[in-house]
Amino acid sequence: MKNQVSYQGMDFVPYITRQTIDRRIAELGQKIVNDCKTADPEGSDVPLFLCVLNGAFPFASDLFRAAEDLDAEIAFIRLKSYEGTASSGKVKEVMGLTQDITGRTVIIVEDIVDTGRTIHGLVEQLKARGPKDVKIATLLFKPEALMCDVKPDYVGFEIPKKFIIGFGLDLDGLGRNLNDIYVLKEVKENA
Ligand code: IMP
Ligand code: MG
C-alpha cells in the first residue's frame, strides 16, 4: 500500500488494505453460497451475478470466484441515467443485459451505495422483468448518505460519508487500478 496517492491535485491516504478487502470478499462469497443453497437446495435456479460497470469489476471478479461452490452465471451491465440534473441518478436504461431473468435470482454487484438512487432505479428496472428475487451485493455502503428505500443484502464495509477511491472506485476515471482503498485527505485548517 502506498502512503499517499494524488489525482487532480487531491491527496488520498490509506483506508482499507487489499488484505482486508480479500478476507471480506471471501466471507461474502461464502454467505452468498450458503444463502442460495438454502433457498434452492436442488440447485434448479442458477443465480445471475450482475456486475455494474465500470466500478464494480474488481469486486465482481473476486466475489464471483469466492462463490465457486455455486453454479452461477455472470453478466456485465452499464446504466444510463436521465441527463440534465447530473445527480438525479434516475436509471433510464439497463444496457447489456441479454439474459432472460424471468424466475431467476439476480445478485446485483455494485462498488458502492451512496445515496442509493442508482441501485434503487436498477432494482425497479430488473423487477419489471419478472425475476424470482433481486439481491444487492455492494463492496461499500454509506448508510448516512442513503436517500432511498434500499437495503443491501451483502455489504463489504459500511463507511462514513467520505470520498474514497481504489479497487474499482474512481475520481473522474482515475484510481480504479489501485489495489487498496484510499480516502480523501482532510485538509486541516490553519495548518
Ligand atoms: P448513488 O446513486 O448515490 O448511490 O451513487 C452511486 C455511484 O456514485 C457509485 O456507483 C459511484 O460511481 C459513485 N460514488 C459514490 N460515492 C463514491 C465515492 O466515495 N468514491 C467514488 N465514487 C463514488
Ligand atoms: Mg458505480
Side-chain angles (χ1 to χ4, degrees):
M1 193 171 215
K2 299 163 195 292
N3 293 329
Q4 182 171 311
V5 290
S6 304
Y7 297 97
Q8 301 180 344
M10 286 186 237
D11 299 331
F12 293 82
V13 290
Y15 194 54
I16 307 175
T17 67
R18 179 64 197 265
Q19 198 190 21
T20 305
I21 297 169
D22 289 348
R23 251 191 257 128
R24 186 69 186 130
I25 295 178
E27 290 172 1
L28 293 182
Q30 202 47 59
K31 185 150 183 15
I32 290 174
V33 171
N34 295 342
D35 288 355
C36 288
K37 289 197 170 174
T38 305
D40 176 38
E42 284 109 62
S44 51
D45 169 24
V46 175
L48 178 66
F49 285 61
L50 216 52
C51 169
V52 184
L53 294 172
N54 292 327
F57 86 91
F59 175 46
S61 166
D62 287 356
L63 184 69
F64 188 53
R65 286 173 295 154
E68 68 175 352
D69 292 335
L70 198 64
D71 288 348
E73 278 191 294
I74 189 164
F76 299 84
I77 58 164
R78 269 177 183 283
L79 303 179
K80 212 172 154 196
S81 300
Y82 284 105
E83 267 137 54
T85 43
S87 64
S88 83
K90 270 261 175 200
V91 177
K92 187 167 76 173
E93 211 183 306
V94 179
M95 295 184 296
L97 181 59
T98 51
Q99 281 88 346
D100 181 6
I101 61 166
T102 314
R104 293 182 73 177
T105 295
V106 176
I107 302 167
I108 299 171
V109 185
E110 250 293 22
D111 52 358
I112 189 163
V113 175
D114 186 27
T115 65
R117 288 195 188 105
T118 309
I119 210 88
H120 185 263
L122 173 58
V123 170
E124 279 187 355
Q125 294 269 335
L126 294 175
K127 283 197 171 156
R129 299 182 188 215
K132 177 174 151 196
D133 199 2
V134 178
K135 295 205 176 289
I136 301 167
T138 186
L139 181 61
L140 298 137
F141 180 35
K142 297 183 189 171
E144 291 163 11
L146 197 63
M147 294 174 68
C148 297
D149 181 20
V150 164
K151 201 182 167 300
D153 301 274
Y154 306 99
V155 175
F157 306 94
E158 281 195 7
I159 61 166
K161 265 169 95 168
K162 292 188 173 185
F163 190 79
I164 55 167
I165 56 166
F167 204 77
L169 290 132
D170 70 305
L171 170 66
D172 289 341
L174 298 176
R176 289 197 205 277
N177 53 350
L178 294 166
N179 274 290
D180 309 82
I181 293 177
Y182 297 78
V183 64
L184 184 61
K185 193 173 174 180
E186 287 180 22
V187 182
K188 290 201 187 81
E189 279 173 47
N190 309 319

